[in-house]
Amino acid sequence: MDAERTRPPASLRAAVAADRARRAFVAPVRVWRRSLRVRTVAITLLLSSIALLAVGTVVSYTIAQGLFQDRLQQVESLSLQAHDAAQAVTSGGSADLPDAVQLQAINTVKQVANPTGYYWLNDPVPGRSTVLAAASPEGIQNLVSPQLQESLKNGSGQHWQSVAVQTDDRQTHPAIVVGDTLRFDGGRTELYLIYDIHDVQETLVVVQRSLLIGFLALLVLIGGVATVVSSLVVAPLKQAAATSELLAEGHLERRIPEHGDDVVATLARSFNRMAESLQRQITQLANLSRVQQRFVSDVSHELRTPLTTIRLASDVIYDARNGFDAPSARSAELLKTQVERFELLLADLLEISRMDAHAADVSGEPANLVDLVREGVDSLGGLAEDTRTEIRLHTPGGHAPVDVDSRRISRIIRNLLANALEHGEGRPIDVTVDSSETAVAIGVRDHGIGMSPQDAERVFDRFWRADPSRQRRIGGTGLGLAISLEDATLHGGRLEVWSRRGEGTNFVLTLPWGRDGGELDAPVPLVPWDAAPEVPKPQRVRRRPLRIGS
């Protein structure tokens, strides 16, 4: 009873058996796909087996036909001699052959023909057929087909057929029946001689066994040769693949050993020259990149001091603008605006230079993305009111704290919202926050002018604008989306964009719950529900009413 309780259910046993069968099938498939040597040897053995099988079949058939024809000629010769001897005994006899004459004819046939031991002397007169043999008359008569008897009646000369005879020890042997006609005055008698050709079959079996052994030995030899040849070819390829992997990982000094002057050695030399060229170019580009990064960083730092002085002077001039005439007052306002934009540009340049130098750090702390989105929406409330844009917030998920750098995520949110307000044409903007088991995502969807696929591919490029002639409401630096993409990458997430002309743009920021990496689900679809009917419409769930803009 206890054993029945501890025994797993049938469904579980079936699942385990299915999993084992799947693994047993997957393992050879994996070896086949990954090993070039295995595929080469297997295909060589398969094609060699087909070729050897075809050749062996032809050779076996040819040998069998040759042995059979040789033995048939021998049998026909012996049968002709036996017929001539029996014809000499029965010549001049009447239709009513006495038993003595028949016996003498049969003894003559035995001495001359030496057949298997089956003889049938068939008298055409009804009731006069005589069988002299070791077997029963019915069994011997059944070996001779009616077609053979009809051939003797309608023609002259010898006629034969292949038959199978059963010996005294119940074994079946192949045999040949040769029929001929004994003629005498006033009648004729049919003489059938049966020859056992089992020795020919045994010879053919020995030949076929030898061919099979030779086939297997030759197949093993071909397999060994294919293995050796494939090793000579595959080993350098494996070494080249391993070296290329090391080069891809950054070990630019690795090279393939060069031996000889064959094709493989030529490939190694070409690969090494390519690696050296790549190493020189990568080193030059790395040095140039470092110089550029240092230049941008140094220039940004050096400009901070005079910019601070200019900022102070512009503030003084701006504060005293009421005492100026109209053109001077407007100049003071423009000066203050451009100085502020210059400060933002310097800050973004410093941030970009730190990211390029891999010096940017991420200080993670638990944060609620819904709260960060609300703060970003509130910070741009004035711009939303100026553009008369309604911002609609959907928060079906994402309320649990996630470990992120709040400063960087808030910067991404502000950049995405500012971009939507800039290009939204005053139409509503949908901001969605949702989560799954592996990730949390923020989607910012506007219904503005949109972009072409070519423009969408370049939207994260630095200082790139989809429409340079378009007047901007926000004094951006052209680095906001590029910095946002780098911020998302630093968190192990991704920032993606979907856009279509006349239908607007959708930016989706996807972040993992932790820093473990791995595949991330898509809590917020990249293609909006109103652009793809198969995407479910987001639920408009809010913790509090939030509508900015009229």
Side-chain angles (χ1 to χ4, degrees):
M1 189 67 178
D2 295 338
E4 293 180 356
R5 291 179 178 177
T6 57
R7 185 179 183 183
S11 59
L12 180 59
R13 294 197 302 271
V16 172
D19 183 67
R20 291 178 179 175
R22 183 186 61 81
R23 291 182 180 180
F25 174 77
V26 168
V29 173
R30 184 182 296 112
V31 173
W32 173 268
R33 294 181 59 185
R34 292 183 177 180
S35 178
L36 178 61
R37 181 181 302 173
V38 170
R39 292 200 301 272
T40 302
V41 175
I43 294 174
T44 302
L45 290 178
L46 177 61
L47 298 179
S48 300
S49 300
I50 295 174
L52 291 176
L53 184 61
V55 173
T57 302
V58 173
V59 171
S60 178
Y61 177 78
T62 303
I63 294 175
Q65 289 295 108
L67 292 175
F68 181 78
Q69 293 297 330
D70 290 344
R71 188 56 183 274
L72 179 61
Q73 292 178 2
Q74 181 183 3
V75 166
E76 289 178 338
S77 177
L78 291 175
S79 299
L80 183 60
Q81 295 177 14
H83 172 268
D84 293 343
Q87 184 67 57
V89 174
T90 58
S91 295
S94 61
D96 188 10
L97 289 176
D99 293 341
V101 175
Q102 291 186 4
L103 182 59
Q104 183 180 0
I106 293 300
N107 289 332
T108 302
V109 169
K110 282 184 177 182
Q111 294 174 4
V112 176
N114 191 23
T116 304
Y118 301 101
Y119 322 94
W120 185 19
L121 190 62
N122 185 24
D123 196 331
V125 179
R128 297 291 297 174
S129 295
T130 302
V131 176
L132 301 177
S136 62
E138 294 79 7
I140 297 175
Q141 294 176 16
N142 291 334
L143 294 177
V144 180
S145 66
Q147 291 81 5
L148 182 58
Q149 297 182 38
E150 190 69 23
S151 299
L152 288 180
K153 291 178 182 178
N154 299 331
S156 61
Q158 291 181 339
H159 296 271
W160 65 273
Q161 73 176 66
S162 299
V163 296
V165 299
Q166 191 172 12
T167 62
D168 296 336
D169 55 356
R170 302 296 181 181
Q171 294 184 1
T172 302
H173 288 180
I176 298 177
V177 176
V178 181
D180 209 338
T181 303
L182 296 177
R183 301 184 181 277
F184 49 87
D185 294 341
R188 65 186 182 84
T189 298
E190 297 172 1
L191 175 64
Y192 297 95
L193 303 178
I194 304 176
Y195 294 86
D196 190 346
I197 58 173
H198 181 62
D199 55 340
V200 176
Q201 185 180 22
E202 290 182 345
T203 302
L204 181 61
V205 169
V206 172
V207 172
Q208 291 177 343
R209 187 180 297 115
S210 301
L211 288 176
L212 179 60
I213 295 174
F215 168 80
L216 296 177
L218 188 58
L219 200 61
V220 172
L221 179 61
I222 292 175
V225 172
T227 303
V228 173
V229 173
S230 62
S231 299
L232 294 176
V233 177
V234 172
L237 294 179
K238 291 178 64 177
Q239 193 170 22
T243 304
S244 63
E245 289 290 339
L246 292 174
L247 289 174
E249 293 175 0
H251 303 280
L252 302 178
E253 74 284 353
R254 297 303 297 266
R255 298 292 183 270
I256 301 176
E258 303 175 11
H259 304 288
D261 297 322
D262 54 7
V263 176
V264 177
T266 303
L267 174 62
R269 284 191 291 270
S270 301
F271 185 90
N272 291 338
R273 285 197 298 269
M274 179 188 68
E276 292 174 358
S277 176
L278 289 176
Q279 184 180 11
R280 288 194 301 269
Q281 295 180 14
I282 292 174
T283 303
Q284 293 174 359
L285 291 175
N287 293 334
L288 179 60
S289 177
R290 283 194 295 268
V291 170
Q292 291 176 343
Q293 293 170 12
R294 181 172 297 179
F295 175 78
V296 172
S297 179
D298 293 344
V299 168
S300 300
H301 281 290
E302 292 298 328
L303 288 177
R304 278 188 172 275
T305 301
L307 181 61
T308 302
T309 304
I310 296 174
R311 174 62 184 273
L312 294 175
S314 66
D315 289 341
V316 172
I317 296 174
Y318 181 78
D319 293 338
R321 71 185 183 283
N322 294 330
F324 301 156
D325 54 11
S328 300
R330 179 57 180 166
S331 299
E333 293 175 356
L334 292 176
L335 177 61
K336 179 178 177 60
T337 302
Q338 295 304 317
V339 169
E340 291 177 350
R341 184 178 179 185
F342 196 10
E343 286 184 333
L344 292 176
L345 178 59
L346 281 180
D348 289 346
L349 287 175
L350 284 174
E351 186 69 19
I352 285 289
S353 65
R354 283 193 293 267
M355 291 178 176
D356 291 340
H358 303 287
D361 57 343
V362 178
S363 57
E365 58 183 7
N368 190 309
L369 291 189
V370 177
D371 294 339
L372 295 181
V373 170
R374 288 198 179 101
E375 293 175 1
V377 171
D378 292 338
S379 65
L380 294 175
L383 180 61
E385 292 179 356
D386 293 340
T387 58
R388 305 180 64 84
T389 302
E390 176 187 5
I391 300 178
R392 300 180 297 201
L393 182 61
H394 314 274
T395 60
H399 298 278
V402 59
D403 188 17
V404 295
D405 189 332
S406 300
R407 179 182 65 86
R408 295 182 182 275
I409 300 301
S410 297
R411 181 167 58 190
I412 296 176
I413 295 171
R414 288 194 302 271
N415 285 331
L416 298 182
L417 288 173
N419 186 78
L421 290 170
E422 181 70 31
H423 301 89
E425 299 293 320
R427 301 186 181 98
I429 297 174
D430 293 298
V431 182
T432 305
V433 183
D434 203 352
S435 57
S436 64
E437 294 182 356
T438 61
V440 60
I442 302 172
V444 179
R445 165 81 159 104
D446 68 72
H447 301 79
I449 58 176
M451 294 181 292
S452 64
Q454 295 78 11
D455 292 340
E457 292 179 356
R458 300 191 57 191
V459 72
F460 296 108
D461 292 350
R462 300 173 183 179
F463 299 107
W464 182 84
R465 295 178 62 183
D467 187 4
S469 62
R470 180 181 176 86
Q471 184 178 1
R472 299 177 61 94
R473 297 185 181 92
I474 306 173
T477 63
L479 296 173
L481 291 179
I483 294 175
S484 298
L485 180 62
E486 295 291 342
D487 286 336
T489 304
L490 288 175
H491 285 82
R494 60 176 182 261
L495 180 60
E496 302 169 292
V497 62
W498 171 92
S499 187
R500 188 179 295 170
R501 283 290 187 185
E503 298 185 21
T505 305
N506 186 35
F507 284 91
V508 178
L509 171 65
T510 306
L511 301 172
W513 283 110
R515 300 297 176 86
D516 300 334
E519 293 294 331
L520 300 180
D521 297 336
V524 176
L526 181 61
V527 181
W529 66 271
D530 53 352
E534 66 275 7
V535 179
K537 183 177 181 179
Q539 300 177 2
R540 299 189 60 183
V541 180
R542 301 192 190 91
R543 297 299 178 182
R544 60 180 176 87
L546 180 61
R547 286 184 181 271
I548 298 179
S550 57

